[in-house]
Amino acid sequence: MAGQIIHFDEFSLVPHRGVLLRSGVVVPLGSRAFAILRLLVERQGDLVGKDELLAAAWPDTFVEEGNLRVQIAAIRKALGDSSDAAELLANVPGRGYRFVAPVSFADHLEDLPPDAAAAYPLPLPSDSVLGRSELIDAIADQLLQRRLVTIVGPGGIGKTTIALAVARKVLQTYGGAVAFVDFGPVVDPILVAFRLALALNAPVNEADPIPSLLAFLKDKRMLVVFDTCEHVVEATASLAEAICAGTTGIDILATSREPLRAEGETIRRLPPLAYPDESSALTATEALDYPAVQLFVLRAAGVLDDFRLTDADVPVVVDICRRLDGIALAIELAARRIDAFGLDGLATVLDNRFSVLTAGRRTALPRHQTLLATLDWSYGLLSPPEQAVFRRLSVFVGIFSLETATGVLVGDDMTAPEVIGHLGDLVAKSLVAPDLSGRLTVYRLLDTTRAFAVGKTVEQGEQAAYARRPAEYYRDRFARAEAEWETISAADWLETYAPCIDNVRLALDWAFSPGGDPAVGVALTISAVPLWFQLSLIDESRRALERALLVLDAAGSADAASRMKLLAARGWSLMYTTSPDRETGAAWKAALDLAVEVGDADYQLRALWGLWAGHINNGAFAKALDFAGRFRDVAAQTDDPSNLQIGYRMTGAALHFLGEHREARSYIDRMLRDYRRPIHAAHIVRFQFDQEITARITLSRIQWLTGFPDQAMQTVEANIADAVAVGHTLSLCNALGQSACPVALLSGDLNASERYTTMLRQNTAAQGLDVWRAYADGFEAAIRAGRGDAASAATSLRAVCDALSHARFVQYHAVFLAHLVDALIAAELPGDAVVAAEDALVRTQRTEARWLMPELMRLKAEALSRAGDESGAVDALLCEAAALAEGQDALGWELRIAASRVRQLDRADAAMDHLARIYDRFNEGFGTRDLATARALLDRRHA
């Protein structure tokens, strides 16, 4: 029966070609389903038992019966809605299946439609080709325009699978004349032409086969697939060029781990299978949209019949696909071991991937049966210098640039031009992946490839020698990088240096390891500070800085400059944690003393800013004002005029908290008028935030307080847009937490406040910004209270106030206490509200946060009134609050206090007249909550 074609219904089965046709059109069917259908058709009318069917599809392999049901379902789907589809295949429950449709046999290809059958055997198709349909269509279209197309990619990525899928897609285009030639077994390049002749059944001259091959092909129209060319690349390139030059109807589709570099060649690099980003939070349904996940699930289900992807499984499966770089072979091998390790266990053992990923298909080529064999095949094709560069590149994790590669790899045995040349060869041979999407071209070893290269360095005893060089390189490179803040834009600086972060981490781990060099680690820690600050990696920087300080202490180092820089950076990193040991003052004070000792004005300014900020955060606003003055004194002695402008901003902020809004506004206006944001971002590294954005934070608060609520919201909106554009997370969070969210709440715009709070939450999620996460909790609770859920909001606000008190971060503590009093009043708990208001006033008086005292006094009066106080304290408090607000030019508070007096005095004429006078002083903001409330009270006067 070998070589015969079997017809049934409107189908034709070509066993020796592995093809099922329907009315002359190829029907996609996986290799196991095809083997089962072939056995059933050849045994037409007989009952074929389940064990026999399983043996046909999985020879020498034990699988569960459920896999047979999956393949039978695939066969039924392939047969589709033919006239007798329901009667073609019968199930005998518990026993097996019977093919019941009549069949007939033909001995020759001529009995098939002339444009349907392959004239040469093609390997059986794989079970599925996932996520590649667009690529297959594109390559098929290219073959109509370009005679030589090469699919290039690393081992195991699926080049042969794609080539076969393209071949089947274009089968009719070539009238069935598609031939597949596997050059993998060819050892001697001289045999390449003979291998092709054998596949084509072409007679050739043994002394010189190419002329007779060309004569055989000259008048033919066909496609030839050259598979696995990388180890005989020159011979296959020469053969391809000869065929394209000596024939007009022969097209070639090649697969190789490197381009053939033949004349007229079109290269299609095969990317890995797509998988979700590491940060993606997906359901199982969403994850299955990604081909890498689909392939893993399909192969896992083939081993464990009851395997189903659940939402809980998604992070583990995505992590496996990501760690295997979306390489199809690696994913298949991993999924096939799920029966041995389970899903979670499989993710754990992937660190030993080369011992785990060995369960390849028995029918696969030896070089594809294990991941190690696949990479060994590629490595063995490299020249000794290429192998050396490949091994040395394993010192990089993640991406690296050409400059970095030469900086680290160049040595006594290798020059820069040699490194560049060998790197280019490794890219061509698909062992190094280039990324051309940015301004700078960068490279990386796929994680699996890097693990293989690391293993080779261990085998060669080279690992210790190679580890030092990148640490020293990044130490020196980042020492230069800080100076570049002054010469290039922040965006360009980040584009250049942000990709280095993974390699900086690796270098630091080596430097502080038992075999490392702590001195290199300390120096690299200091030079990497700008990168951590610009990337807002707070927790990471703090841990690194504390490690470096411990090393200096253990060594008894007298290096004052290094200690000064580490202490200053550590003080900065501690500022936004809610840990109870958040004590920045000592670090900043020690840094200041060292800066004075070594005569470093820049670090004196940094330390004075840190001491000012620490006092602001702790609510010691009068002391903060003193440090702002000291900052201005030092700044006046420097050559950079922006330093003095920053001192004005610090002064204005401290005065604002002290309730001196008119004077504060003059300092802020002066700073914004004269300050010029540098094209670089050195001010962010030195003083934590973008200074212009930070100045507008204070401006927006003063605008609201002094009776310009619309201007305040306009300033907020422009500031947030600017902060987003700058792309600095800390500056954005500061603007959201200190300005956008509270000013929107003051204006009664709950929707805007909710939007800004969501932004704050999202931007603090992955950073060590505990304080701002607490702020976000507080703002969310205040929003809930404003929408009527006062009782639960009060509970949440108590927790926020406790957290901030625990952290000794009291700059905004009293504001959340004010929200708590408001919520307690709304929840009809006036006694608790009075207690909370008194607590807030005591704290505010202690810190001299006079800007908030008028509002807290008003809230206490409201709480006393709800509690039934008739002692006259209510009116006395309101009168005192009004006088304080007037002295501060705080028209916003004056309006609220006047409205409260009208409510308490039940529309007394004097109170109404006072409210009207306050209301008339506004010339904007009439749509805000407070002005709308005042207008409603005034309208009731005539009701």
Side-chain angles (χ1 to χ4, degrees):
M1 195 174 292
Q4 287 188 315
I5 291 85
I6 309 171
H7 300 294
F8 58 90
D9 197 62
E10 55 192 309
F11 293 91
S12 300
L13 189 75
V14 190
H16 58 291
R17 305 285 188 253
V19 176
L20 175 66
L21 303 165
R22 180 177 185 177
S23 300
V25 178
V26 176
V27 177
L29 192 63
S31 58
R32 293 195 176 94
F34 187 89
I36 292 169
L37 178 61
R38 174 180 177 176
L39 179 59
L40 287 167
V41 170
E42 290 176 344
R43 298 269 298 276
Q44 188 270 343
D46 295 341
L47 176 65
V48 184
K50 295 179 180 179
D51 290 342
E52 192 173 355
L53 291 169
L54 286 169
W58 290 274
D60 303 320
T61 304
F62 174 77
V63 297
E64 298 290 343
E65 184 181 313
N67 292 284
L68 177 59
R69 293 194 297 271
V70 172
Q71 301 303 324
I72 292 293
I75 292 170
R76 293 188 189 280
K77 182 178 180 181
L79 298 180
D81 57 355
S82 66
S83 58
D84 297 315
E87 302 175 4
L88 295 178
L89 191 60
N91 177 24
V92 180
R95 299 179 62 192
Y97 295 86
R98 177 183 288 115
F99 194 83
V100 296
V103 301
S104 60
F105 298 89
D107 292 327
H108 305 289
L109 291 173
E110 288 77 11
D111 294 327
L112 290 175
D115 61 345
Y120 300 92
L122 291 176
L124 291 177
S126 62
D127 290 336
S128 56
V129 183
L130 301 172
R132 304 293 201 187
S133 58
E134 291 184 3
L135 179 65
I136 291 168
D137 290 344
I139 295 173
D141 290 341
Q142 274 190 320
L143 281 171
L144 300 177
Q145 306 167 29
R146 308 290 179 89
R147 296 187 59 199
L148 173 57
V149 177
T150 304
I151 301 173
V152 177
I157 204 165
K159 299 183 295 295
T160 301
T161 299
I162 298 304
L164 285 170
V166 172
R168 286 187 166 81
K169 184 176 183 63
V170 301
L171 195 63
Q172 295 183 59
T173 302
Y174 291 93
V178 176
F180 180 88
V181 189
D182 178 14
F183 290 117
V186 176
V187 177
D188 188 341
I190 294 175
L191 300 177
V192 164
F194 290 101
R195 182 76 175 180
L196 174 59
L198 180 64
L200 298 176
N201 295 318
V204 294
N205 185 319
E206 291 188 13
D208 188 4
I210 291 182
S212 48
L213 254 179
L214 295 179
F216 175 81
L217 294 171
K218 185 173 183 180
D219 298 323
K220 290 182 170 55
R221 169 69 173 147
M222 67 182 301
L223 172 69
V224 183
V225 179
F226 283 15
D227 189 49
T228 313
C229 300
E230 56 269 5
H231 63 303
V232 284
V233 66
E234 292 183 4
T236 50
S238 298
L239 180 58
E241 287 181 344
I243 291 173
C244 290
T247 68
T248 57
I250 307 301
D251 298 333
I252 299 171
L253 176 62
T255 73
S256 177
R257 300 184 188 187
E258 63 175 301
L260 303 187
R261 297 190 179 92
E263 185 177 352
E265 178 186 26
T266 296
I267 299 169
R268 290 300 302 238
R269 289 199 174 270
L270 187 58
L273 292 173
Y275 51 86
D277 292 337
E278 188 175 4
S279 59
S280 300
L282 303 176
T283 65
T285 300
E286 292 168 336
L288 284 168
D289 287 337
Y290 291 86
V293 177
Q294 292 177 34
L295 179 62
F296 182 91
V297 172
L298 181 67
R299 296 294 180 256
V303 177
L304 295 177
D305 185 48
D306 60 348
F307 180 79
R308 298 291 183 274
L309 184 68
T310 67
D311 291 351
D313 294 335
V314 167
V316 180
V317 173
V318 168
D319 180 61
I320 290 171
C321 294
R322 179 182 57 79
R323 291 168 65 190
L324 296 177
D325 303 299
I327 296 176
L329 174 63
I331 292 170
E332 288 200 25
L333 293 173
R336 293 179 192 279
R337 302 308 301 272
I338 195 171
D339 58 337
F341 301 106
L343 185 59
D344 290 333
L346 181 61
T348 300
V349 300
L350 273 188
D351 288 338
N352 300 312
R353 64 192 73 189
F354 296 117
S355 60
V356 173
L357 305 184
T358 59
R361 297 192 301 273
R362 288 181 173 85
T363 56
L365 294 170
R367 65 181 180 275
H368 284 165
Q369 288 185 350
T370 73
L371 192 59
L372 183 60
T374 297
L375 289 167
D376 260 332
W377 168 272
S378 294
Y379 183 75
L381 298 176
L382 301 178
S383 67
E386 289 171 340
Q387 290 180 346
V389 170
F390 175 69
R391 293 194 305 272
R392 294 178 190 184
L393 288 174
S394 69
V395 300
F396 299 116
V397 58
I399 65 175
F400 57 90
S401 67
L402 184 61
E403 176 191 354
T404 302
T406 54
V408 173
L409 269 60
V410 167
D412 294 338
D413 60 340
M414 195 169 295
T415 65
E418 288 173 331
V419 170
I420 294 169
H422 294 320
L423 177 59
D425 291 337
L426 292 172
V427 170
K429 294 176 181 181
S430 302
L431 285 169
V432 174
D435 182 352
L436 310 176
S437 60
R439 180 175 60 88
L440 299 173
T441 298
V442 293
Y443 307 87
R444 68 180 288 251
L445 294 180
L446 299 180
D447 290 348
T448 300
T449 309
R450 179 177 179 271
F452 174 83
V454 168
K456 289 297 180 183
T457 65
V458 173
E459 288 179 12
Q460 298 287 329
E462 300 167 328
Q463 197 170 26
Y466 290 167
R468 169 178 289 275
R469 298 177 72 171
E472 293 176 337
Y473 170 81
Y474 283 110
R475 174 200 61 192
D476 298 341
R477 185 176 184 188
F478 275 91
R480 298 191 304 270
E482 185 169 10
E484 290 181 11
W485 279 112
E486 308 296 331
T487 59
I488 65 175
S489 70
D492 288 344
W493 193 95
L494 266 181
E495 187 176 4
T496 300
Y497 291 105
C500 299
I501 185 64
D502 289 329
N503 286 302
V504 168
R505 292 164 177 156
L506 188 66
L508 285 171
D509 287 343
W510 169 82
F512 291 115
S513 69
D517 187 335
V520 173
V522 169
L524 177 55
T525 300
I526 292 170
S527 61
V529 164
L531 181 62
W532 283 315
F533 284 10
Q534 186 66 8
L535 293 176
S536 302
L537 297 173
I538 311 303
D539 284 342
E540 180 179 336
S541 68
R542 181 166 58 251
R543 290 191 298 269
L545 292 160
E546 290 171 350
R547 178 171 59 180
L549 282 165
L550 286 173
V551 167
L552 281 184
D553 291 341
S557 172
D559 184 352
S562 292
R563 186 177 297 277
M564 170 191 72
K565 293 176 180 180
L566 290 170
L567 285 168
R570 181 176 180 271
W572 174 88
S573 70
L574 286 169
M575 295 186 71
Y576 288 92
T577 174
T578 55
S579 169
D581 61 353
R582 182 189 64 83
E583 180 49 65
T584 64
W588 287 118
K589 179 64 169 60
L592 178 61
D593 291 343
L594 289 169
V596 172
E597 176 186 329
V598 301
D600 192 320
D602 179 40
Y603 270 84
Q604 288 181 53
L605 291 174
R606 296 188 193 209
L608 287 167
W609 174 87
L611 289 164
W612 168 87
H615 284 93
I616 287 286
N617 292 338
N618 291 332
F621 301 118
K623 289 183 179 179
L625 184 62
D626 290 340
F627 277 108
R630 291 178 62 183
F631 184 100
R632 296 202 316 274
D633 291 342
V634 175
Q637 305 303 313
T638 67
D639 295 332
D640 186 352
S642 68
N643 289 333
L644 190 56
Q645 306 308 322
I646 293 169
Y648 292 148
R649 181 197 70 76
M650 295 161 60
T651 302
L655 287 169
H656 155 64
F657 286 116
L658 290 167
E660 305 292 337
H661 304 308
R662 182 182 296 132
E663 189 177 1
R665 176 70 185 264
S666 70
Y667 275 101
I668 295 298
D669 286 345
R670 182 174 181 180
M671 185 272 188
L672 289 172
R673 183 190 69 226
D674 298 335
Y675 183 76
R676 296 295 178 267
R677 177 187 286 161
I679 62 167
H680 52 81
H683 61 309
I684 291 178
V685 173
R686 297 166 67 211
F687 307 119
Q688 194 176 53
F689 304 113
D690 181 284
Q691 295 300 300
E692 193 171 350
I693 291 170
T694 309
R696 288 198 294 263
I697 290 173
T698 305
L699 175 62
S700 67
R701 294 160 63 108
I702 293 173
Q703 284 172 326
W704 189 92
L705 286 166
T706 55
F708 300 97
D710 288 346
Q711 291 182 41
M713 286 301 293
Q714 290 165 8
T715 299
V716 162
E717 291 163 8
N719 211 29
I720 296 302
D722 191 19
V724 170
V726 167
H728 185 239
T729 301
L730 286 177
S731 296
L732 175 60
C733 290
N734 198 35
L736 289 165
Q738 302 288 3
S739 172
C741 296
V743 170
L745 281 170
L746 286 169
S747 298
D749 191 340
L750 299 182
N751 291 333
S753 184
E754 183 174 44
R755 183 172 70 254
Y756 292 136
T757 300
T758 299
M759 289 180 67
L760 180 62
R761 177 79 69 193
Q762 291 170 342
N763 281 278
T764 58
Q767 310 292 343
L769 306 175
D770 301 346
V771 169
W772 280 323
R773 283 197 285 271
Y775 273 31
D777 292 340
F779 294 135
E780 287 172 354
I783 292 166
R784 290 205 311 275
R787 289 173 172 164
D789 187 9
S792 74
T795 300
S796 298
L797 285 162
R798 282 190 190 279
V800 170
C801 292
D802 289 344
L804 293 175
S805 179
H806 177 70
R808 301 193 303 278
F809 197 100
V810 299
Q811 173 188 352
Y812 213 68
H813 187 197
V815 174
F816 287 117
L817 281 172
H819 286 303
L820 173 61
V821 174
D822 212 8
L824 290 169
I825 292 171
E828 299 183 359
L829 296 169
D832 291 347
V834 171
V835 173
E838 289 173 344
D839 179 30
L841 280 166
V842 168
R843 291 174 181 272
T844 303
Q845 289 165 350
R846 185 170 63 243
T847 62
E848 297 183 296
R850 290 190 286 270
W851 76 278
L852 189 59
M853 289 182 69
E855 172 68 351
L856 290 173
M857 295 167 72
R858 182 191 71 83
L859 287 169
K860 182 180 178 182
E862 291 274 7
L864 286 170
S865 176
R866 298 292 183 91
D869 185 277
E870 298 180 356
S871 66
V874 171
D875 192 50
L877 270 172
L878 291 174
C879 289
E880 185 180 356
L884 186 57
E886 183 179 5
Q888 295 180 3
D889 293 321
L891 188 59
W893 294 150
E894 288 188 72
L895 182 69
R896 288 189 177 186
I897 295 164
S900 289
R901 291 198 72 202
V902 167
R903 286 190 292 267
Q904 301 308 321
L905 299 175
D906 194 20
R907 293 188 291 174
D909 287 342
M912 279 288 193
D913 290 342
H914 182 65
L915 176 59
R917 287 193 297 273
I918 298 294
Y919 185 88
D920 289 342
R921 288 166 59 191
F922 283 86
N923 54 28
E924 65 172 61
F926 299 106
T928 60
R929 180 188 58 193
D930 290 346
L931 282 159
T933 298
R935 181 71 267 167
L937 288 171
L938 291 171
D939 289 344
R940 286 169 52 194
R941 183 176 193 177
H942 306 292

Coordinates of all heavy atoms in Angstrom, one line a residue, residues 746-773:
L746 N -9.7 70.2 48.2 CA -10.1 71.5 48.7 C -11.1 72.2 47.8 O -12.0 72.9 48.3 CB -8.9 72.4 48.8 CG -7.9 72.1 50.0 CD1 -6.6 72.9 49.8 CD2 -8.5 72.4 51.3
S747 N -11.0 72.0 46.5 CA -11.9 72.6 45.5 C -13.3 71.8 45.4 O -14.2 72.3 44.7 CB -11.3 72.7 44.2 OG -10.2 73.5 44.2
G748 N -13.3 70.7 46.1 CA -14.5 69.8 46.0 C -14.7 69.1 44.7 O -15.8 68.6 44.4
D749 N -13.6 69.0 44.0 CA -13.7 68.2 42.7 C -13.2 66.8 43.0 O -12.1 66.4 42.9 CB -12.7 68.9 41.7 CG -12.9 68.3 40.3 OD1 -13.5 67.2 40.2 OD2 -12.5 69.0 39.3
L750 N -14.2 66.0 43.4 CA -13.9 64.6 43.8 C -13.5 63.7 42.6 O -12.6 62.8 42.8 CB -15.2 63.9 44.4 CG -15.6 64.6 45.7 CD1 -16.8 63.9 46.3 CD2 -14.5 64.7 46.7
N751 N -14.0 64.0 41.4 CA -13.6 63.2 40.3 C -12.1 63.5 39.9 O -11.4 62.5 39.6 CB -14.4 63.6 39.1 CG -15.9 63.1 39.2 OD1 -16.1 62.1 39.9 ND2 -16.8 63.7 38.6
A752 N -11.7 64.7 39.9 CA -10.3 65.0 39.7 C -9.4 64.4 40.8 O -8.3 63.9 40.5 CB -10.1 66.5 39.6
S753 N -9.8 64.6 42.0 CA -9.0 64.0 43.1 C -8.9 62.5 43.0 O -7.8 61.9 43.2 CB -9.7 64.3 44.4 OG -8.9 63.9 45.5
E754 N -10.0 61.8 42.5 CA -9.9 60.4 42.3 C -8.9 60.0 41.2 O -8.2 59.1 41.3 CB -11.3 59.8 42.0 CG -11.4 58.3 41.9 CD -12.8 57.9 41.7 OE1 -13.5 58.5 40.9 OE2 -13.2 56.9 42.3
R755 N -9.0 60.8 40.2 CA -8.1 60.6 39.0 C -6.6 60.7 39.5 O -5.8 59.9 39.1 CB -8.4 61.5 37.9 CG -7.6 61.3 36.6 CD -8.1 62.1 35.5 NE -7.8 63.6 35.6 CZ -8.8 64.5 35.9 NH1 -10.0 64.1 36.1 NH2 -8.4 65.7 36.1
Y756 N -6.3 61.8 40.2 CA -5.0 62.0 40.6 C -4.5 61.0 41.7 O -3.4 60.6 41.7 CB -4.8 63.4 41.2 CG -5.0 64.5 40.1 CD1 -5.7 65.7 40.4 CD2 -4.4 64.4 38.9 CE1 -5.9 66.7 39.4 CE2 -4.5 65.4 38.0 CZ -5.3 66.5 38.2 OH -5.4 67.5 37.3
T757 N -5.4 60.6 42.5 CA -5.1 59.6 43.5 C -4.8 58.2 42.8 O -3.8 57.5 43.3 CB -6.2 59.4 44.5 OG1 -6.5 60.6 45.2 CG2 -5.9 58.3 45.6
T758 N -5.5 57.9 41.8 CA -5.2 56.7 41.0 C -3.8 56.7 40.4 O -3.0 55.8 40.5 CB -6.3 56.5 39.9 OG1 -7.6 56.3 40.6 CG2 -5.9 55.2 39.1
M759 N -3.5 57.9 39.9 CA -2.1 58.1 39.3 C -1.1 57.9 40.4 O 0.0 57.3 40.2 CB -2.0 59.5 38.7 CG -2.7 59.7 37.4 SD -2.5 61.4 36.8 CE -0.8 61.3 36.3
L760 N -1.3 58.5 41.6 CA -0.4 58.3 42.7 C -0.2 56.9 43.1 O 0.9 56.4 43.3 CB -0.9 59.2 43.9 CG 0.0 59.1 45.2 CD1 1.4 59.7 44.9 CD2 -0.7 59.9 46.3
R761 N -1.3 56.2 43.2 CA -1.3 54.8 43.6 C -0.5 54.0 42.5 O 0.4 53.1 42.9 CB -2.7 54.2 43.7 CG -2.8 52.7 44.0 CD -2.6 52.4 45.4 NE -3.6 52.9 46.2 CZ -3.6 53.0 47.6 NH1 -2.5 52.6 48.2 NH2 -4.6 53.4 48.3
Q762 N -0.7 54.2 41.3 CA 0.0 53.5 40.2 C 1.5 53.7 40.2 O 2.3 52.8 39.9 CB -0.7 53.8 38.8 CG -2.1 53.3 38.6 CD -2.7 53.8 37.4 OE1 -2.3 54.9 36.8 NE2 -3.8 53.2 37.0
N763 N 1.8 55.0 40.5 CA 3.3 55.3 40.3 C 4.1 55.0 41.6 O 5.3 55.1 41.6 CB 3.4 56.8 40.0 CG 3.1 57.1 38.6 OD1 4.0 57.0 37.7 ND2 1.9 57.5 38.2
T764 N 3.4 54.6 42.7 CA 4.1 54.2 43.9 C 4.1 52.7 44.1 O 4.8 52.2 44.9 CB 3.5 54.8 45.1 OG1 2.1 54.5 45.3 CG2 3.6 56.3 45.1
A765 N 3.4 52.0 43.2 CA 3.2 50.6 43.4 C 4.5 49.8 43.4 O 4.7 48.9 44.2 CB 2.2 50.0 42.3
A766 N 5.4 50.1 42.5 CA 6.6 49.4 42.3 C 7.8 50.0 43.0 O 9.0 49.6 42.8 CB 6.9 49.1 40.9
Q767 N 7.6 51.1 43.7 CA 8.7 51.9 44.3 C 8.7 51.8 45.8 O 7.6 51.5 46.4 CB 8.7 53.3 43.8 CG 8.5 53.5 42.4 CD 9.8 53.1 41.6 OE1 10.8 52.9 42.2 NE2 9.6 52.8 40.3
G768 N 9.8 52.1 46.5 CA 9.8 52.2 47.9 C 9.3 53.5 48.5 O 10.0 54.2 49.2
L769 N 8.1 53.9 48.1 CA 7.5 55.2 48.5 C 6.3 55.0 49.4 O 5.2 55.3 49.2 CB 7.0 55.9 47.2 CG 8.1 56.0 46.1 CD1 7.5 56.6 44.8 CD2 9.3 56.8 46.6
D770 N 6.7 54.4 50.6 CA 5.6 54.1 51.6 C 4.8 55.3 52.0 O 3.6 55.1 52.1 CB 6.3 53.5 52.8 CG 7.2 52.3 52.6 OD1 7.0 51.8 51.4 OD2 7.9 51.9 53.4
V771 N 5.4 56.4 52.2 CA 4.6 57.6 52.6 C 3.6 58.0 51.6 O 2.4 58.2 52.0 CB 5.6 58.8 52.9 CG1 4.8 60.0 53.1 CG2 6.4 58.5 54.1
W772 N 3.9 58.0 50.4 CA 2.9 58.4 49.4 C 1.8 57.3 49.2 O 0.7 57.6 48.8 CB 3.6 58.7 48.0 CG 4.2 60.1 48.1 CD1 3.6 61.2 48.7 CD2 5.4 60.5 47.5 NE1 4.5 62.3 48.5 CE2 5.6 61.9 47.8 CE3 6.4 59.9 46.8 CZ2 6.6 62.7 47.4 CZ3 7.5 60.7 46.3 CH2 7.6 62.0 46.6
R773 N 2.2 56.1 49.5 CA 1.1 55.1 49.4 C 0.1 55.3 50.6 O -1.1 55.2 50.4 CB 1.7 53.7 49.5 CG 2.3 53.2 48.2 CD 2.5 51.7 48.2 NE 3.7 51.3 49.0 CZ 4.9 51.2 48.6 NH1 5.2 51.5 47.3 NH2 5.9 50.8 49.3

